[in-house]
């Protein structure tokens, strides 16, 4: 049975509670962190070597580079993604390097959006992110004369959904019908599982000219601390992003950009082959995902199996029914109270899904929590130990 993936406005979202949970976990002894989305293992050796070379090689890499991106990086991004999108991408006009994908999103919003613009499973079977679907009628109703941009995230965080071609064609049709720009966050595009396929909406007919495609070296090469992101799109849109970027960020770290450029050059040579990191890494991470799913199920948590990304969400409805009166403020969503309880009593940290949505809609999502499964084997084993102890406590 399909679940409705409802179209929600982004106004009112408050991510500050994340700080609260990280702080709480740091104050408790021996808490295993599955809340924050970063790998706790080494990046690929070729990326590390590229960074070491950038640091110790050409002394000019310690200085400013071009404001809109280190030329070798913008060139390889244009070449690499041009083939994927079926476009001739100009590295000077169609590529902008930013401080991570967050920087790309910020620049896009500041450049294009103004205040006032609009922006069930069968019993006994595991749930899947593919069961969560946009309602075409509801989605169409969200487009008005004031709608300027549509924000897409695929593979999705926190759900792990990979949008199908049919769903993307629906979005594309609405964007074209209402003359709306599509800002698409595709930072997890290489982390797709179970034979699903990531499709960039910019590759669909008529969409390149109205789409900004955002990527991240942090998620691409497991180097989240490098903070190198990028935006690809038509010059008519990119020129506005360049104006914002030049008058806010101005520059991104040259050495990190050089290392990302070299890493992409390596991947371009190996693309589609068994030796490609983009082939090997999702295979490894899928095993991590499956490990976590089995472990969480052992204590009665119900994971929603993701098709992609770093994350899975878990249904805690059974716990909400069994112990509804966890400590916390009267108006505090249940998932936040549950995560605090889990940190203090079970030594496991996750993120409440209600922190992703605006206050009026939190009640629809307060029975889900998010786990990051892109973790080292030792971290997953530590989770197993915590869950086995939890399981023993549940037994009569």
């Amino acid at each position: 049975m399909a679940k409705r993936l409802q179209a929600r406005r982004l106004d009112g979202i408050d991510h500050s509670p994340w700080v609260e949970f990280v702080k709480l976990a740091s104050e408790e002894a021996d808490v295993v962190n599955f809340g924050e989305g970063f790998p706790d293992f080494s990046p690929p050796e070729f990326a590390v070597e590229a960074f070491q070379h950038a640091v110790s090689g050409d002394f000019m890499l310690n200085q400013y580079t071009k404001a809109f991106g280190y030329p070798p990086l913008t060139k390889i991004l244009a070449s690499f993604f041009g083939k994927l999108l079926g476009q001739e991408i100009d590295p000077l006009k169609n590529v902008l390097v930013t401080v991570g994908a967050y920087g790309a999103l910020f620049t896009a919003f500041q450049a294009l959006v103004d205040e006032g613009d609009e922006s069930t499973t069968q019993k006994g079977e595991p749930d899947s992110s593919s069961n969560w679907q946009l309602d075409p009628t509801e989605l169409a109703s969200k487009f008005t004369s004031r709608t300027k941009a549509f924000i897409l995230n695929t593979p999705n965080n926190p759900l792990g959904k990979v949008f199908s071609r049919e769903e993307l064609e629906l979005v594309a049709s609405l964007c074209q019908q209402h003359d709306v720009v599509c800002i698409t966050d595709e930072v997890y595009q290489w982390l797709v599982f179970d034979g699903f396929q990531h499709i960039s909406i910019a590759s669909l007919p008529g969409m390149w000219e109205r789409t900004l495609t955002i990527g991240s070296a942090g998620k691409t090469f497991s180097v989240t601390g490098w903070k190198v992101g990028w935006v690809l799109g038509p010059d008519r849109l990119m020129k506005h992003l360049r104006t914002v970027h030049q008058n806010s960020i101005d520059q991104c770290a040259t050495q990190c950009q050089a290392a990302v450029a070299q890493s992409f050059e390596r991947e371009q040579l190996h693309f589609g082959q068994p030796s490609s990191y983009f082939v090997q890494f999702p295979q490894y991470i899928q095993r991590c995902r499956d490990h976590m799913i089995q472990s969480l199920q052992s204590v009665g948590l119900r994971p929603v199996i993701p098709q992609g990304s770093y994350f899975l969400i878990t249904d805690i409805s059974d716990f909400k029914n069994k112990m509804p009166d966890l400590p916390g403020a009267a108006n505090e969503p249940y998932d936040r109270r549950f995560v605090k309880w889990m940190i203090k009593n079970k030594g496991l940290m996750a993120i409440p899904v209600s922190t992703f949505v605006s206050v009026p809609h939190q009640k629809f999502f307060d029975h889900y929590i998010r786990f990051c499964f892109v973790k080292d084997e030792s971290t997953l084993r530590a989770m197993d130990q915590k869950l086995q102890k939890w399981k023993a406590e549940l037994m009569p």
Side-chain angles (χ1 to χ4, degrees):
M1 182 183 298
K3 295 190 176 183
R4 294 177 70 204
L5 185 57
Q6 293 177 304
R8 300 295 183 192
R9 297 185 185 184
L10 297 180
D11 55 308
I13 292 181
D14 179 8
H15 290 291
S16 60
W18 288 34
V19 177
E20 177 185 7
F21 298 107
V22 173
K23 183 175 183 293
L24 179 60
S26 68
E27 293 171 349
E28 298 291 327
D30 194 29
V31 173
V32 186
N33 183 356
F34 292 101
E36 296 176 282
F38 61 86
D40 63 352
F41 48 78
S42 296
E45 186 175 342
F46 65 82
V48 174
E49 290 177 351
F51 184 77
Q52 291 172 337
H53 177 74
V55 171
S56 60
D58 185 353
F59 74 93
M60 285 302 296
L61 293 180
N62 293 292
Q63 310 306 327
Y64 292 136
T65 184
K66 298 289 186 181
F68 305 135
Y70 177 59
L73 178 55
T74 58
K75 182 178 179 180
I76 188 63
L77 289 173
S79 171
F80 193 95
F81 286 97
K83 294 182 176 67
L84 294 180
L85 298 176
Q87 292 290 332
E88 286 289 334
I89 296 181
D90 186 325
L92 297 179
K93 295 182 178 180
N94 305 131
V95 182
L96 173 64
V97 177
T98 60
V99 181
Y102 261 63
L105 289 165
F106 169 82
T107 305
F109 298 156
Q110 291 296 315
L112 301 177
V113 181
D114 297 318
E115 185 175 354
D117 294 336
E118 293 182 331
S119 61
T120 334
T121 310
Q122 296 298 319
K123 190 173 182 180
E125 294 182 3
D127 198 359
S128 168
S129 58
S130 63
N131 292 336
W132 294 60
Q133 298 176 6
L134 288 168
D135 182 303
T137 302
E138 185 196 16
L139 181 63
S141 74
K142 300 301 180 183
F143 285 78
T144 75
S145 59
R146 293 189 297 120
T147 307
K148 188 174 288 185
F150 183 93
I151 303 167
L152 177 68
N153 176 210
T154 182
N156 179 266
N157 169 20
L159 181 59
K161 177 180 174 62
V162 177
F163 283 83
S164 68
R165 179 176 291 275
E166 181 180 19
E167 291 171 309
L168 295 176
E169 287 174 344
L170 168 64
V171 172
S173 174
L174 289 167
C175 287
Q176 293 176 37
Q177 179 183 341
H178 295 276
D179 193 23
V180 166
V181 171
C182 182
I183 302 172
T184 175
D185 177 347
E186 302 183 5
V187 299
Y188 299 107
Q189 72 176 98
W190 308 110
L191 284 171
V192 178
F193 316 123
D194 300 325
F196 284 94
Q197 180 185 7
H198 168 76
I199 299 170
S200 292
I201 196 169
S203 68
L204 299 184
M207 286 304 291
W208 165 257
E209 286 300 320
R210 63 176 63 255
T211 301
L212 295 174
T213 304
I214 293 172
S216 161
K219 304 305 191 297
T220 298
F221 296 114
S222 303
V223 288
T224 58
W226 290 9
K227 295 302 293 180
V228 176
W230 54 84
V231 192
L232 310 173
D235 186 52
R236 74 177 186 90
L237 299 177
M238 295 294 291
K239 64 183 181 181
H240 302 299
L241 274 68
R242 291 194 294 267
T243 299
V244 172
H245 178 87
Q246 189 167 27
N247 291 282
S248 57
I249 304 302
D250 183 60
Q251 290 279 329
C252 303
T254 307
Q255 294 167 333
C256 291
Q257 291 189 68
V260 174
Q262 190 171 330
S263 297
F264 262 113
E265 288 164 2
R266 186 265 183 196
E267 276 303 294
Q268 191 168 55
L269 293 174
H270 293 262
F271 189 71
Q273 302 175 28
S275 56
S276 169
Y277 184 68
F278 298 161
V279 171
Q280 295 175 354
F281 189 51
Q283 293 173 348
Y284 169 71
I285 296 305
Q286 182 170 327
R287 293 194 294 270
C288 295
R289 179 203 66 170
D290 294 345
H291 182 145
M292 178 173 280
I293 287 170
Q294 293 177 2
S295 294
L296 293 174
Q297 288 173 333
S298 71
V299 296
L301 292 166
R302 292 189 284 156
V304 177
I305 301 174
Q307 302 160 295
S309 84
Y310 274 11
F311 306 105
L312 62 81
I313 66 172
T314 297
D315 191 329
I316 56 172
S317 296
D318 292 345
F319 290 89
K320 186 177 181 181
N321 293 331
K322 293 175 183 176
M323 46 183 198
D325 300 320
L326 292 177
N331 61 345
E332 185 175 23
Y334 183 80
D335 58 340
R336 302 189 194 198
R337 289 184 282 139
F338 183 86
V339 167
K340 292 176 185 177
W341 172 84
M342 189 171 68
I343 290 171
K344 291 183 177 181
N345 295 278
K346 305 304 176 185
L348 293 169
M349 178 187 164
I351 295 293
V353 170
S354 67
T355 63
F356 287 91
V357 296
S358 56
V359 172
H361 300 122
Q362 289 178 354
K363 61 186 177 182
F364 298 108
F365 299 96
D366 73 343
H367 57 290
Y368 292 104
I369 60 176
R370 188 196 77 173
F371 289 87
C372 176
F373 52 83
V374 182
K375 299 297 179 182
D376 184 75
E377 185 177 340
S378 62
T379 308
L380 294 172
R381 287 200 300 268
M383 174 194 65
D384 291 342
Q385 294 174 1
K386 300 282 188 184
L387 291 172
Q388 287 304 310
K389 181 179 178 182
W390 189 352
K391 182 179 178 180
E393 293 168 354
L394 292 171
M395 295 177 66

